[in-house]
Amino acid sequence: MAGEKTQLRVDARQNRDRIVASARETFAADGLDVSMTEIARRAGVGVATLYRRFPTKDALVREVFAEQLEACTGEVRGAAEDPDPWRGFCRAVEKLCEMQARDRGFSAAFLTAFPEAVPVDGMRAMAEEAFAGVVTRAKATGRLRPDFTTDDLTLVLMANNGLVTDSVEAAVAASRRLVAYFLQAFQARDPLPPPVSLGLRDALG
Amino acid sequence: MAGEKTQLRVDARQNRDRIVASARETFAADGLDVSMTEIARRAGVGVATLYRRFPTKDALVREVFAEQLEACTGEVRGAAEDPDPWRGFCRAVEKLCEMQARDRGFSAAFLTAFPEAVPVDGMRAMAEEAFAGVVTRAKATGRLRPDFTTDDLTLVLMANNGLVTDSVEAAVAASRRLVAYFLQAFQARDPLPPPVSLGLRDALG
DNA sequence: CGGAAAACGGAAGGAGCCTTCCACTTGGGC
DNA sequence: GCCCAAGTGGAAGGCTCCTTCCGTTTTCCG
């Protein structure tokens, strides 16, 4: 995924880096609904420069969040190696949610918005695979309820994504409390009311 | 909240009703990001007619969701009268979340978007007050964990709001599962000392 | 039934956004 | 130091959206 245009002119390279940095900050703070003009302004370049590097806004978004996604996958993998599977599970959920809470744009890019985000989907699939391992092992210890599914992670992330607040700190605090509740609910207990997910209906009579 | 302009011409009255109905359906299905032109088209009127009744899009949104909010308050009050406070608590949370899941625009209007929504806030405050009573009683029985706060309801609703799916049914199904998890987490973990049955007078204030 | 006021529809104003175009500048191999 | 291609900035095209304006149609009171 690298090494395509390494022969960028040095000034162009610097500008490109500034653009990505600027876009990352701005997306994190205000979400994806920021104009390209604004991003260019904050990067100290003209809008044409931005478009020379990223032919479309989607492309910029993908570039910006590609490494964020990689960090995600890394966290999950790290959690997967925790000697205590349940603790690893908790760590994975906590980390993912905190990352999400700290970056509004990332949430949006990760969960909704961009159907064109092919590399995003690929990366996401890898993270999900790693997470599936954590789940299996955590269930084996008996700490994680057996009817937990990997779809429930999506549920958690979507729920966590809903926590929109004024400040990042408030979002993180809210996210922490949310996750704490979730983790208590995920601990093995009595059977669940509704079965799996997606496509099903009719639960409580 | 009625009786301001009862002397609307009959055709105007009909058009107004069609506008509100059309707006409600459209907001519910697609959220608040629908153009006024589209709403007018679906109502079978010109855009000017729409603006004659509702000077701004905000005004239309408020009108549309005012009665939704009233329904909300009604649900909470109904739950408040349940002889079993814990069951009432569960019912309130379940009902609110389901209503939210069924109506994307309502979620958005209720939780975010419109700071100008004064009547919304007023109505919301009433619902919150009713809910506070439910919480107090549910805690008194020992079923609801004592560290639950009414802010946690906001947490739940925001989380529930994050459940964006393709179809309404999928959203409702996801919401059900989410709520089931929450309710398990909200249950007092270890049975508290016997429910002290003093009068409720002090608590309700 | 007749006319004034209310209501109407569609076009047009004004703003914002993504994207493209083009004349000008700058880097770096020769 | 020269020169051309790569790079650049800002203006402008095209689109959508919210809102306003105005000539025409409809209601309803006397």
Side-chain angles (χ1 to χ4, degrees):
Chain A
M1 56 190 71
E4 259 183 47
K5 291 227 175 180
T6 323
Q7 42 250 61
L8 269 182
R9 242 165 60 176
V10 284
D11 57 339
R13 181 79 222 167
Q14 286 177 342
N15 280 336
R16 204 199 111 103
D17 290 347
R18 275 214 300 273
I19 287 169
V20 172
S22 158
R24 174 155 41 236
E25 287 171 23
T26 313
F27 285 152
D30 302 330
L32 262 31
D33 287 351
V34 191
S35 74
M36 294 295 262
T37 309
E38 174 69 12
I39 293 172
R41 197 186 57 73
R42 294 208 200 183
V45 303
V47 65
T49 303
L50 203 167
Y51 273 93
R52 174 170 294 274
R53 295 296 152 241
F54 306 97
T56 172
K57 191 176 182 179
D58 274 38
L60 176 62
V61 170
R62 281 203 291 281
E63 170 69 27
V64 167
F65 291 112
E67 64 181 63
Q68 288 266 37
L69 267 175
E70 223 155 340
C72 253
T73 311
E75 285 293 351
V76 176
R77 291 221 173 103
E81 284 161 13
D82 196 306
D84 179 346
W86 168 251
R87 200 175 58 188
F89 173 84
C90 292
R91 222 180 82 190
V93 174
E94 285 164 353
K95 281 290 185 182
L96 289 178
C97 285
E98 176 166 350
M99 291 179 69
Q100 213 182 11
R102 289 202 183 280
D103 192 327
R104 288 188 55 186
F106 181 54
S107 294
F110 190 62
L111 282 172
T112 60
F114 289 79
E116 294 295 324
V118 182
V120 170
D121 276 348
M123 203 56 92
R124 208 185 123 151
M126 291 176 69
E128 277 175 0
E129 192 183 317
F131 187 73
V134 178
V135 167
T136 303
R137 279 187 290 278
K139 278 185 190 173
T141 68
R143 296 287 306 274
L144 177 61
R145 54 190 309 159
D147 51 2
F148 181 91
T149 75
T150 46
D151 282 340
D152 285 331
L153 176 64
T154 307
L155 197 70
V156 169
L157 292 177
M158 290 179 84
N160 193 61
N161 187 39
L163 269 40
V164 181
T165 59
D166 299 331
S167 74
V168 175
E169 286 316 313
V172 171
S175 174
R176 282 228 180 85
R177 191 166 175 95
L178 183 79
V179 169
Y181 276 135
F182 271 130
L183 291 179
Q184 293 206 1
F186 291 158
Q187 267 180 303
R189 270 198 183 187
D190 310 323
L192 250 195
V196 278
S197 64
L198 301 171
L200 289 182
R201 56 181 223 90
D202 169 66
L204 313 169
Chain B
M1 58 189 69
E4 255 185 47
K5 292 226 174 177
T6 324
Q7 42 252 58
L8 269 183
R9 242 167 59 177
V10 286
D11 57 338
R13 180 79 221 166
Q14 287 177 341
N15 279 336
R16 204 197 112 103
D17 291 346
R18 274 214 300 273
I19 287 170
V20 173
S22 158
R24 174 154 43 236
E25 287 171 24
T26 313
F27 285 152
D30 302 331
L32 260 34
D33 286 351
V34 190
S35 73
M36 294 295 261
T37 309
E38 175 67 11
I39 293 172
R41 196 186 57 73
R42 293 209 202 185
V45 303
V47 65
T49 303
L50 202 166
Y51 272 93
R52 175 171 294 273
R53 294 298 152 238
F54 306 97
T56 173
K57 192 175 181 179
D58 275 37
L60 176 62
V61 170
R62 280 202 292 281
E63 169 69 26
V64 166
F65 293 110
E67 63 182 65
Q68 287 265 39
L69 268 175
E70 223 156 338
C72 254
T73 312
E75 285 293 350
V76 176
R77 291 219 174 103
E81 284 162 12
D82 196 304
D84 178 348
W86 168 252
R87 201 175 58 188
F89 172 83
C90 293
R91 223 179 80 188
V93 174
E94 285 164 354
K95 281 291 185 182
L96 289 177
C97 286
E98 175 166 350
M99 291 179 68
Q100 214 183 12
R102 288 199 183 282
D103 193 327
R104 288 187 55 186
F106 181 54
S107 294
F110 191 63
L111 283 172
T112 61
F114 289 80
E116 295 294 324
V118 183
V120 170
D121 277 347
M123 201 57 89
R124 207 185 124 148
M126 291 176 69
E128 277 174 0
E129 193 183 317
F131 186 74
V134 178
V135 167
T136 304
R137 280 189 290 276
K139 278 185 187 171
T141 67
R143 295 288 304 275
L144 177 60
R145 55 190 307 161
D147 54 359
F148 182 93
T149 75
T150 48
D151 282 340
D152 285 332
L153 176 65
T154 306
L155 197 70
V156 170
L157 292 178
M158 290 179 84
N160 193 62
N161 186 39
L163 268 38
V164 181
T165 59
D166 298 331
S167 74
V168 175
E169 287 314 313
V172 172
S175 174
R176 282 225 182 89
R177 192 168 175 97
L178 182 79
V179 169
Y181 276 134
F182 272 130
L183 291 179
Q184 293 207 359
F186 292 158
Q187 265 180 301
R189 307 204 41 95
D190 307 316
L192 295 174
V196 190
S197 54
L198 299 173
L200 301 172
R201 291 168 309 190
D202 315 347
L204 288 180

